């Protein structure tokens, strides 16, 4: 049940706020009550005209319930996600936790803003033009949304509002350059190693893995695969779900896909050789009863979890995968892209 915040008047010098002052701010008085207030507290009479506008700008406190999302609150209360992030010191995180209290700011300061506006925290080496390019925004749009006079003056950790217009743009980090044709990549020889799902898994998958040594994540982010799963399992715990078990074989498949995405400069669930998710995890020797994959191009592990979780049911395939009850294991691959890092999450349940 939303709770409204009571506005308290500023006491006049040498005096305390009275019950009448509270009523004046939080319940605009009728003519008779106003006259009485003028007789009893003449020093507050001069500020009476401003009381009504202040009272209209009310903050609302909500408690996160099961199934609630930041985007859901933004749409319900008519403010962008960025407004809630900034008001509650969430940084760039879009995750809300069960039982968490959030303050929803007034809509008046965010007129014309889309609910999909989000906060991006500047990382070392980032420029405004690179941030804009990664999110389909111009430098001018970013400057306008953030009141930036100089596009070159950014600081590490600075909170920038990204004026996105829909969820697709928020996730569209894939460059426009693509392979020449689908036919050209489908003919890659590594695809034939697992062309048949009935093929003995011990033979071709092992050969394919041996033919292509897996480059690990960059040394400075070598801990990120396990950190991503740690954060994911924290989120799962808030939903009463058990942790996913880290599986190094799935991680190998995920790293191969992450490296592939980094090499070609864009990502999808299809490898540059035409491989699908199941083919890639079979190649490294994982025998799945069920499987799934999520990918993201984000600057940090937290950012990857945030973008996957920030979906509204029933259109929430990534969120439902992270909160799965039918997959038990996970492996993460991380590779550096032109902007941020490619995060590949391979989920599986082993065939018993």
């Amino acid at each position: 049940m939303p709770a409204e915040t009571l506005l308290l008047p500023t006491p006049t010098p040498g005096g305390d706020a009275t019950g009448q002052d509270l009523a004046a701010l939080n319940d605009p008085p009728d003519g008779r009550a106003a006259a009485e207030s003028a007789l009893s507290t003449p020093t507050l009479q001069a500020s009476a005209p401003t009381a009504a506008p202040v009272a209209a700008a009310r903050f609302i406190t909500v408690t996160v319930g099961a199934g609630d999302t930041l985007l859901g609150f933004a749409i319900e209360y008519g403010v962008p996600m960025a407004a809630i992030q900034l008001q509650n010191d969430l940084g760039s995180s879009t995750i809300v936790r069960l039982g968490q209290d959030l303050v929803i700011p007034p809509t008046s300061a965010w007129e014309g803003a889309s609910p999909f506006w989000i906060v991006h925290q500047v990382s070392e080496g980032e420029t405004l033009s690179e941030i804009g390019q990664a999110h389909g925004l111009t430098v001018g749009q970013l400057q306008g949304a953030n009141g930036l006079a100089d596009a070159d003056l950014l600081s590490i950790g600075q909170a920038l509002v990204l004026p996105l217009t829909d969820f697709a743009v928020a996730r569209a980090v894939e460059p426009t350059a693509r392979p020449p044709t689908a036919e050209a990549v489908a003919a890659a020889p590594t695809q034939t190693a697992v062309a048949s799902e009935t093929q003995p898994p011990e033979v071709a998958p092992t050969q394919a893995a041996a033919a292509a040594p897996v480059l690990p994540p960059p040394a400075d982010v070598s801990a990120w695969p396990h950190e991503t799963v740690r954060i994911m399992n924290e989120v799962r715990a808030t939903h009463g779900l058990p942790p996913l078990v880290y599986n190094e074989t799935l991680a190998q498949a995920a790293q191969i896909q992450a490296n592939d995405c980094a090499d070609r400069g864009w990502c999808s669930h299809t490898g540059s050789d035409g491989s699908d998710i199941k083919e890639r995890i079979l190649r490294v020797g994982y025998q799945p009863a069920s499987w799934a994959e999520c990918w993201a191009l984000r600057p940090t592990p937290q950012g990857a979890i945030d973008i996957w979780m920030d979906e509204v049911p029933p259109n929430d395939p990534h969120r439902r995968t992270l909160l799965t009850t039918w997959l038990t294991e996970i492996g993460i691959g991380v590779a550096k892209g032109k902007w941020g890092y490619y995060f590949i999450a391979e989920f599986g349940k082993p065939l018993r």
Side-chain angles (χ1 to χ4, degrees):
M1 183 74 181
E4 294 187 348
T5 301
L6 185 67
L7 301 177
L8 300 178
T10 303
T12 55
D16 295 323
T18 69
Q20 291 172 333
D21 302 336
L22 292 174
L25 278 176
N26 294 280
D27 226 347
D30 57 23
R32 180 173 174 274
E36 290 175 351
S37 177
L39 291 174
S40 58
T41 55
T43 55
L44 291 178
Q45 180 64 22
S47 63
T50 62
V54 172
R58 293 189 175 184
F59 293 76
I60 298 173
T61 300
V62 297
T63 300
V64 178
D68 286 336
T69 66
L70 190 68
L71 179 59
F73 284 130
I75 294 173
E76 180 178 356
Y77 292 101
V79 296
M81 289 187 284
I84 305 174
Q85 289 173 297
L86 294 171
Q87 182 66 42
N88 295 275
D89 295 323
L90 299 180
S92 59
S93 176
T94 55
I95 290 178
V96 294
R97 293 177 170 82
L98 191 65
Q100 180 181 7
D101 288 333
L102 294 174
V103 177
I104 311 295
T107 60
S108 55
W110 297 92
E111 291 183 3
S114 161
F116 297 96
W117 287 23
I118 59 172
V119 169
H120 170 83
Q121 287 186 299
V122 178
S123 300
E124 184 176 1
E126 282 189 315
T127 66
L128 204 63
S129 61
E130 289 173 342
I131 295 171
Q133 183 178 11
H135 294 86
L137 300 169
T138 67
V139 170
Q141 287 175 312
L142 289 171
Q143 286 183 280
N146 294 276
L148 300 176
D150 191 337
D152 295 323
L153 292 180
L154 294 179
S155 58
I156 298 174
Q158 179 178 350
L160 287 179
V161 174
L162 305 182
L164 303 174
T165 56
D166 58 54
F167 220 28
V169 175
R171 299 179 183 283
V173 291
E174 183 176 302
T176 55
R178 304 186 69 89
T181 64
E183 291 74 18
V185 297
T190 50
Q191 185 186 9
T192 61
V194 287
S196 171
E197 293 185 7
T198 60
Q199 188 173 346
E202 307 84 38
V203 181
T206 305
Q207 293 173 351
V214 182
L215 293 176
D220 57 337
V221 297
S222 60
W224 279 14
H226 286 275
E227 174 65 7
T228 304
V229 175
R230 184 192 68 78
I231 299 171
M232 188 182 301
N233 281 334
E234 281 189 352
V235 173
R236 287 175 58 84
T238 66
H239 291 266
L241 298 171
L244 297 171
V245 177
Y246 199 85
N247 183 285
E248 293 294 347
T249 305
L250 283 174
Q252 186 180 17
Q255 191 61 47
I256 291 172
Q257 179 68 356
N259 293 341
D260 185 29
C261 292
D263 289 344
R264 61 182 169 174
W266 59 277
C267 202
S268 77
H269 293 299
T270 302
S272 62
D273 60 355
S275 61
D276 61 24
I277 302 166
K278 186 178 181 181
E279 286 176 322
R280 291 192 293 273
I281 61 179
L282 280 172
R283 286 176 184 175
V284 297
Y286 188 92
Q287 300 301 306
S290 52
W291 62 92
E293 179 182 84
C294 291
W295 74 268
L297 178 58
R298 306 302 292 168
T300 63
Q302 183 69 62
I305 299 297
D306 288 349
I307 201 77
W308 288 330
M309 283 297 295
D310 194 24
E311 296 177 332
V312 179
N315 300 313
D316 58 337
H318 302 90
R319 181 176 181 273
R320 281 185 281 116
T321 301
L322 266 64
L323 301 180
T324 177
T325 57
W326 50 276
L327 297 163
T328 58
E329 298 180 335
I330 187 172
I332 301 290
V334 179
K336 186 170 179 56
K338 293 181 180 179
W339 175 89
Y341 293 83
Y342 289 102
F343 289 83
I344 307 294
E346 302 288 9
F347 300 80
K349 180 178 180 180
L351 187 64
R352 298 300 184 190

